[in-house]
Amino acid sequence: MVQASSTGMVVHDRSRPGPARWSPEGQRLIRRARERLLSGDPGDPGAPVATEELVPPEIAASWRRSLLSGVDPGRMPTGPADPDRSGAPRLLRAAEPVLDRLVAQLAGTSTAVVLADAQAWILWRGAGRAALFAGLDAISASPGCCLGEERVGTNGLGTVVEERRPTLIVGGEHYQDAMQDFTCVGVPILDPLSRRLEGVLDLTCASRDTNEILLPLLTEAVREIEVRLREQATMHERALFEEFVARSRRRRSTAVASLNEEFLFTNSAAAQLFEPADHALLWDWARGAVASGREITGRLTLTRDVVVDARCAPVDAGGPYPAGVVVTMVPADGRAGACVSGSGSVWAHLQRRVRRLAELSGPLLLHGEPGVGKTRLARWLHERAGGGPCTVVDCRTGRPAALAAALADPHATVILRRAEVLDTDGLLTALVGAADARVVLTAGRPDGVPGGLLDESRVALGVPPLRDRAGDLPRLVDELLGELAPADGPRPRCTAQAMTALRAHLWPGNVRELRRVLATAMVTAMHFDIGVRHLPEGYRAGAPTRPLARLESTERDAIVAALEKAGGNKDRAAADLGISRATIYRKIRRFGIA
């Protein structure tokens, strides 16, 4: 049978009869179980993969993930490669002396040591014999390569990243055929303060050389690396962690978070409230406490639309600047009003309003700048209504033949985009006026819609530009990344630093521009988590470091409106505004107006 060991690894129970996993008979049974999986239905969670008692449950789960990710077991492992990649310098500094000693211990043996980061990108490798490198190169186990499970299947790096616990993978337990001559044992390396995954340390040998000392040897090495990581922790990191521990002990039932721009520590109560995107949102609000050195309070709306009353205090590190802040939160009474500036969800407010307005008779007009999300809001309304088709018509390209039938369907939603370019022959106006379907018009300005249609639109709702919806950005980024990610691949996230950079941008192109930026960043990051370095050049630095004040935002909107009215002519726009040509050019640059 298989059972859990004290290390968290699932190992074979030698007290019961049966072959060891690494014995010839054990490997035969394991390969037979793998073949059963490959010949079954990949969508069937009850496929007979783990009926063989020698297959540990974490290996069976990894096989299923590999199959559902579309990994071809017969191909040579070919994960992403970036030879110039330089990541995790802190981990490398902590691990280097431990790795050197480990390789010296293994001198003369056919065993390799591999260090990878938290996304299974290989940072370093060494071996008891140099001849092993050729075999590792053949399976892409070399620095600058990624052995993520979704790319190359079950292996001693990617599977440990997924499982977050020590894992032994013997010969035929590898998903890809080319890896089945090897045994890998991988142990996760955790940050001793935050407990987040920093990387994976792996020992690889020929499957025939598998033995029981691999795991203890590797576990001891990982323990030393984690001790060195703690010793490397800065004064600020230690101060943050110590304050977090102290507050958490005093307030066990209260949500407590300690953070700065890079680190976030949360207790279990806070973890239930948070999404990854909330780190940037919370830090953006908490900067006031850091700047003033005083405690601040406020009501915040988190990404999940959870409203909390928060109290934030700076954490003293004994230096000229605070180490960060500690925040305690309690759920509010559910009212989203009186939210702290920049933290409220304007989008959630728009959703509530559009649902109420849609209950009234007649078409609904959504107006706002190009790319603010008018069609997205209309689609959301249709999804919440449930059932029925949704027809989207771009009025610039004419009317489809099926439009009349769609407008007559009482279960349908018809979205007429760019309604301001419609002709005024009265035919469409009559169709809209007599429609049984739910009709949503979108336009740049409410007065830009042809008169007949505007008369029929009894209700109108303005959708603000993204620059006025800073609190929406974390949730919007998460939604867009979910839409952009491949259906069979991992869903990347934005790091807190990248989110801070995105929040600093003014987004003249609104949601449409944000989508393009995220699509580019995903390609650069090879569909892994997006950091600042993955963002396009113009979005990493040089942008304003704070949101616009209300007066500045009003001034920017006035300039944009004048430019639109003047057809982009800056001289005429300046004259209409009563300012000089030099002033309007300076403000265009300052406000990032495209």
Side-chain angles (χ1 to χ4, degrees):
M1 294 291 291
V2 292
Q3 64 178 19
S5 74
S6 60
T7 63
M9 176 184 289
V10 177
V11 297
H12 185 67
D13 181 358
R14 288 180 164 272
S15 65
R16 302 196 181 190
R21 288 163 60 188
W22 48 82
S23 71
E25 176 63 13
Q27 284 292 291
R28 186 186 68 79
L29 293 174
I30 286 169
R31 285 185 169 90
R32 186 173 71 181
R34 174 175 166 274
E35 290 305 318
R36 287 184 180 180
L37 172 70
L38 296 178
S39 62
D41 178 6
D44 178 12
V49 57
T51 56
E52 303 292 351
E53 65 176 21
L54 286 180
V55 181
E58 77 271 23
I59 299 298
S62 176
W63 285 353
R64 290 196 187 95
R65 289 193 300 264
S66 304
L67 182 61
L68 293 171
S69 296
V71 178
D72 183 350
R75 289 187 58 188
M76 291 298 292
T78 53
D82 182 4
D84 298 325
R85 181 183 177 90
S86 57
R90 178 169 171 261
L91 175 60
L92 280 168
R93 285 196 304 271
E96 187 175 12
V98 180
L99 296 174
D100 289 342
R101 192 183 70 254
L102 189 57
V103 170
Q105 286 180 271
L106 297 170
T109 68
S110 298
T111 306
V113 184
V114 180
L115 177 70
D117 67 11
Q119 294 174 335
W121 285 89
I122 296 178
L123 305 171
W124 183 97
R125 72 178 183 182
R129 293 176 180 168
L132 287 173
F133 291 143
L136 295 177
D137 290 341
I139 58 172
S140 298
S142 56
C145 292
C146 180
L147 294 188
E149 190 182 75
E150 74 283 354
R151 305 281 185 169
V152 299
T154 307
N155 72 89
L157 297 176
T159 300
V160 177
V161 169
E162 295 293 332
E163 293 287 333
R164 305 293 174 105
R165 58 175 171 171
T167 305
L168 173 67
I169 302 171
V170 182
E173 294 173 355
H174 287 90
Y175 187 78
Q176 288 199 308
D177 297 338
M179 291 184 169
Q180 294 195 354
D181 290 335
F182 296 96
T183 283
C184 299
V185 56
V187 176
I189 302 170
L190 304 179
D191 183 284
L193 298 182
S194 68
R195 305 310 295 168
R196 70 183 179 187
L197 183 68
E198 291 288 335
V200 178
L201 187 60
D202 167 273
L203 286 181
T204 296
C205 66
S207 59
R208 64 178 179 274
D209 296 330
T210 304
N211 62 77
E212 296 173 316
I213 69 166
L214 293 177
L215 179 60
L217 181 65
L218 198 60
T219 301
E220 181 60 30
V222 166
R223 188 177 295 115
E224 291 184 47
I225 293 173
E226 291 178 346
V227 168
R228 290 180 57 82
L229 282 171
R230 184 180 182 92
E231 291 171 351
Q232 286 183 6
T234 65
M235 180 173 59
H236 281 194
E237 292 168 18
R238 292 181 183 178
L240 271 180
F241 181 69
E242 290 167 1
E243 182 66 22
F244 165 72
V245 171
R247 293 288 182 110
S248 296
R249 286 174 177 168
R250 292 199 301 267
R251 299 172 174 262
R252 294 183 183 276
S253 61
T254 302
V256 178
S258 183
L259 69 150
N260 58 21
E261 188 173 14
E262 184 177 359
F263 288 93
L264 172 66
F265 305 108
T266 61
N267 64 0
S268 58
Q272 294 175 12
L273 302 174
F274 274 24
E275 291 285 350
D278 288 321
H279 182 180
L281 184 150
L282 198 59
W283 176 243
D284 197 51
W285 170 70
R287 284 175 175 173
V290 174
S292 65
R294 297 193 301 270
E295 185 176 278
I296 62 173
T297 60
R299 178 163 288 185
L300 295 160
T301 302
L302 303 177
T303 300
R304 297 176 185 169
D305 279 341
V306 176
V307 182
V308 296
D309 289 321
R311 182 178 298 275
C312 172
V315 176
D316 184 20
Y321 305 106
V325 296
V326 61
V327 181
T328 55
M329 293 162 285
V330 294
D333 56 12
R335 295 173 298 176
C339 286
V340 177
S341 176
S343 70
S345 174
V346 177
W347 188 254
H349 177 66
L350 288 171
Q351 289 174 331
R352 290 190 292 270
R353 286 198 61 193
V354 81
R355 288 193 73 169
R356 289 197 298 269
L357 293 174
E359 295 172 357
L360 304 175
S361 61
L364 170 65
L365 172 64
L366 302 177
H367 58 89
E369 293 179 10
V372 293
K374 301 182 292 291
T375 302
R376 174 180 286 268
L377 185 58
R379 288 184 184 275
W380 177 88
L381 176 63
H382 169 74
E383 291 169 1
R384 291 302 178 275
C390 181
T391 302
V392 181
V393 178
D394 188 335
C395 296
R396 294 183 305 183
T397 59
R399 298 191 296 272
L403 179 58
L407 288 168
D409 184 349
H411 303 292
T413 299
V414 177
I415 303 171
L416 300 177
R417 301 181 63 218
R418 301 183 178 92
E420 61 265 43
V421 305
L422 284 170
D423 58 15
T424 56
D425 61 5
L427 176 59
L428 186 57
T429 301
L431 287 172
V432 170
D436 293 318
R438 179 184 297 103
V439 179
V440 183
L441 310 173
T442 74
R445 301 189 308 275
D447 59 353
V449 179
L453 283 177
L454 188 59
D455 293 340
E456 293 294 339
S457 269
R458 295 175 176 84
V459 289
L461 179 64
V463 181
L466 188 54
R467 62 183 172 274
D468 294 337
R469 292 155 40 198
D472 289 339
L473 197 65
R475 163 170 284 193
L476 186 55
V477 167
D478 188 56
E479 288 182 2
L480 290 174
L481 289 176
E483 294 171 10
L484 292 166
D488 60 347
R491 179 172 178 164
R493 298 178 300 179
C494 248
T495 65
Q497 294 89 336
M499 188 68 73
T500 298
L502 293 176
R503 286 171 68 91
H505 193 64
L506 293 176
W507 301 110
N510 292 297
V511 180
R512 195 173 300 154
E513 179 187 2
L514 176 62
R515 186 184 183 92
R516 287 197 301 267
V517 168
L518 292 175
T520 301
M522 279 182 63
V523 173
T524 306
M526 296 185 179
H527 293 269
F528 290 99
D529 287 356
I530 295 171
V532 174
R533 65 191 181 91
H534 301 126
L535 299 175
E537 185 65 38
Y539 296 84
R540 302 175 199 167
T545 57
R546 57 174 177 84
L548 293 180
R550 186 181 297 275
L551 183 61
E552 293 172 314
S553 183
T554 302
E555 185 180 10
R556 184 189 187 282
D557 290 345
I559 293 172
V560 169
L563 287 167
E564 289 178 345
K565 181 180 177 182
N569 186 301
K570 299 179 181 63
D571 291 343
R572 289 211 308 269
D576 287 345
L577 292 167
I579 59 178
S580 68
R581 184 171 180 271
T583 298
I584 197 170
Y585 272 89
R586 186 175 68 252
K587 290 185 179 295
I588 286 171
R589 287 194 301 272
R590 177 186 173 191
F591 294 139
I593 299 172

